[in-house]
Amino acid sequence: MTKITFVEHNGKEHTVDVENDMTLMEAAVKNMVPGIDADCGGACACATCHVYVEPDWVEKTGDREETEEDMLDFAFDVQENSRLSCQIKISEALDGLVVKLPEKQF
Amino acid sequence: MSGDVITTDAVIIGGGPCGLFAIFELGLLDIKCHVVDILDKPGGQCAELYPEKPIYDIPALPEVSGQELTDRLMEQASPFDPQYHYSQMVTELIKHGDNDFELKTDGGMTFRAKVVVIAAGGGSFMPKKPPMPGIADFEDTSVFYSVREMEKFRGKDILIVGGGDSALDWVNNLQPIAKSMTLLHRRPEFRAAPDSVNKMRAIEDAGKMKFQLGQVTELLGDNGQLTGIKGKNKEGEFELACDTMLPFFGLTMKLGPVADWGLNLEENLIPVDTEKFETSVPGIFAIGDINNYPGKLKLILSGFHEAALMAQQAFRYINPGERLRFQYTTSSSSLQKKLGVK
C-alpha cells in the first residue's frame, strides 16, 4: 500500500492508502476524494482529472506523454507541474506523494 | 423545421450505444424511433471521448474501438429506418396524457411520442466554461462557447482561446470578417489538424492575426461588455484588448434539462425498476449510464439488456391489449423479414 495525499483547492487534505498499480485518478475516485471528475473514466480523453504535483514529486511522477500534453489543452490554468491523474500509476516509489487539486475541473 | 410536429412511436434521447441498440430492440417490435442527440454525430461518449480507444468488454467483440462499436450499432439499427436529429438537445418534455408526450428541442423541433426513452448517459455534452470569476456576466454578450451565426462576429475584436480543432477552425473562419483576431494558447504546439494550423500560420504571416502564447487569468470590462483580458506566460503577465472572447476547452457532460422534467432523481441519476427500466412517470424509460437501480453497473452491456426489457413494456403501451409473442432472430421468419434477411 502507498500513501497519497490529495489537497483540495480550499486546503482540505485527504490522505488515502492506495494499492499499487492503480492510477492516481482511480485512487481519488475510489476513496471519494472530491474534485476529480474523470468524465472519461481514465482514457486520457477529457482532462477532468487535472492535478498539480507538488514540486518535490515532479521528477518521480515522470514526464507527460504526448497524448496527455495534448489533452491538457482542455484543462484550465495549466502549470509546469500539471498532470492528468489518470496517467500516473501508483507505485511504492510514490509513497507520500502530495498533489493539489484545481478549484474546478470545469 | 419549426412549427411542424413530428408524430412517432418513440423518441430516444441520446444516440450513444444504448440509445442506438434501443432502436434495434424497439424495431423488432415494430416500434418506430426518432433519436435526438446534442452531438453532431452518433455514438455519445464512444464517439466524443474515445473513438479510437479500444473497449474490451463488449460480448463477442474481444476488442473494438468506440467508433467501430458505434458504426456497427448504426448498421444493426438501419433496417428499422430510424430518424436521427443531431446537434440539438431536448429541452422540454411534457406529458399530455397516458402515452402522449410532447418533446421540444433547442433546435426548434417538436415531437409527439407514445413513449420516451432517456438514454442520455452522463448527460448532455456542453462546452467547458473556464472557471473564472465573473465570466457568467459576459456570457452571450461578449463570451461565447460556440458559433451559431457567423454574422454576429463581423467587425469584432475577437480573442479565441485554445489549441484544438474548434479554436483553429474558428480563427480561420472568423478572421476574414473580424476587425481583429487574436489566438491565445498555452503552448506553441496545437492538437488541431495540421492543415488548420498551417492555414492559421499563413494568416499570421500575412499580418492578419496575432498568436499569443499564454493563458487567460482575468476578464476586463463591465456590464457584460468585455474590453480585454489579462493573461500570463513564462515571461510574465500581459493584457490583450478584445470585445469578444471564444474559449474552446472541449466538452464536458452536464445533466442539463433532464432535471426539469419532473422525474424522480437521485444524485443526478434516474431511478428505474429492473423489470421494465421505467422512470417514476409511466411511459418514460431510462436506460444506460443515466439510470440507477440496486446493483447497477455502468457498462455498455448492461444498457443493451436494459434496452431489450424496456422495449417489451414499450410494446404494451403502444399496442394495448395485443399479445406480445417472444421470438428469436435465429428462427423467426417475421423478425428476419424486418431485418431484411434474404
Side-chain angles (χ1 to χ4, degrees), chain A residues 37 39-48 64 66-80 87 103-106, chain B residues 45 48-50 53 128-132 162-165 185-187 189-191 215-217 232 234 248-254:
Chain A
D37 293 351
D39 276 359
C40 78
C44 196
C46 73
T48 61
R64 307 165 184 160
E66 196 185 335
T67 48
E68 183 181 353
E69 190 70 54
D70 276 353
M71 200 41 64
L72 276 167
D73 285 354
F74 285 169
F76 191 71
D77 195 11
V78 176
Q79 298 171 13
E80 295 269 327
Q87 300 302 303
E103 186 177 356
K104 267 179 82 181
Q105 297 286 351
F106 273 96
Chain B
Q45 290 183 48
E48 181 60 33
L49 288 180
Y50 46 85
K53 305 258 163 161
K128 287 184 184 171
K129 301 178 175 188
M132 304 179 66
D165 283 312
H185 183 46
R186 70 178 184 94
R187 57 183 183 137
E189 296 83 29
F190 298 87
R191 63 194 304 271
Q215 299 182 77
V216 57
T217 54
K232 64 171 184 191
K234 276 177 193 161
F248 291 111
F249 287 94
L251 304 175
T252 187
M253 287 172 285
K254 301 274 179 216

Side-chain angles (χ1 to χ4, degrees), chain A residues 39-56:
Chain A
D39 276 359
C40 78
C44 196
C46 73
T48 61
C49 66
H50 179 199
V51 299
Y52 302 110
V53 174
E54 283 291 87
D56 299 349

Side-chain angles (χ1 to χ4, degrees), chain A:
Chain A
M1 298 290 263
T2 298
K3 220 176 255 312
I4 308 283
T5 302
F6 296 90
V7 185
E8 281 185 68
H9 190 74
N10 62 14
K12 193 173 169 197
E13 293 189 8
H14 303 260
T15 299
V16 296
D17 280 316
V18 183
E19 280 170 47
N20 291 328
D21 290 333
M22 61 166 44
T23 67
L24 192 59
M25 177 279 282
E26 290 170 321
V29 171
K30 200 177 168 193
N31 289 285
M32 292 190 286
V33 175
I36 299 280
D37 293 351
D39 276 359
C40 78
C44 196
C46 73
T48 61
C49 66
H50 179 199
V51 299
Y52 302 110
V53 174
E54 283 291 87
D56 299 349
W57 290 94
V58 168
E59 208 168 304
K60 279 195 177 138
T61 46
D63 292 329
R64 307 165 184 160
E65 285 190 20
E66 196 185 335
T67 48
E68 183 181 353
E69 190 70 54
D70 276 353
M71 200 41 64
L72 276 167
D73 285 354
F74 285 169
F76 191 71
D77 195 11
V78 176
Q79 298 171 13
E80 295 269 327
N81 57 342
S82 285
R83 291 296 306 270
L84 295 180
S85 56
C86 69
Q87 300 302 303
I88 297 177
K89 196 156 253 189
I90 309 276
S91 68
E92 266 157 39
L94 297 183
D95 193 37
L97 172 68
V98 181
V99 297
K100 288 190 169 165
L101 305 179
E103 186 177 356
K104 267 179 82 181
Q105 297 286 351
F106 273 96

Side-chain angles (χ1 to χ4, degrees), chain B residues 58-223:
Chain B
I58 304 298
L61 294 174
E63 183 179 338
V64 63
S65 71
Q67 189 56 54
E68 193 186 350
L69 180 70
T70 303
D71 294 344
R72 286 172 172 242
L73 286 163
M74 292 283 284
E75 186 189 334
Q76 198 166 22
S78 65
F80 303 109
D81 194 25
Q83 304 297 304
Y84 298 101
H85 309 281
Y86 298 121
S87 303
Q88 51 196 316
M89 179 165 72
V90 174
T91 48
E92 282 180 70
L93 170 53
I94 303 153
K95 182 178 171 162
H96 287 294
D98 288 348
N99 307 120
D100 180 10
F101 298 98
E102 184 180 359
L103 301 98
K104 291 184 183 217
T105 76
D106 61 356
M109 299 191 77
T110 305
F111 298 90
R112 209 70 182 243
K114 292 171 185 159
V115 298
V116 176
V117 182
I118 303 174
S124 302
F125 277 100
M126 310 246 198
K128 287 184 184 171
K129 301 178 175 188
M132 304 179 66
I135 193 164
D137 299 341
F138 295 105
E139 284 169 4
D140 298 324
T141 50
S142 299
V143 173
F144 303 88
Y145 301 105
S146 63
V147 177
R148 292 226 167 192
E149 262 178 278
M150 275 177 67
E151 269 311 301
K152 215 170 168 176
F153 298 92
R154 181 176 292 278
K156 298 288 187 187
D157 292 307
I158 302 175
L159 173 70
I160 290 183
V161 188
D165 283 312
S166 300
L168 273 286
D169 285 351
W170 287 118
V171 166
N172 295 334
N173 290 329
L174 291 176
Q175 181 276 324
I177 60 168
K179 189 170 159 203
S180 71
M181 173 63 76
T182 310
L183 173 64
L184 176 64
H185 183 46
R186 70 178 184 94
R187 57 183 183 137
E189 296 83 29
F190 298 87
R191 63 194 304 271
D195 247 20
S196 320
V197 178
N198 293 340
K199 210 171 155 197
M200 181 276 290
R201 288 295 185 199
I203 298 172
E204 188 193 16
D205 289 345
K208 291 176 181 166
M209 68 146 295
K210 181 186 167 192
F211 173 65
Q212 172 73 50
L213 199 62
Q215 299 182 77
V216 57
T217 54
E218 195 183 330
L219 303 176
L220 306 172
D222 48 47
N223 296 326

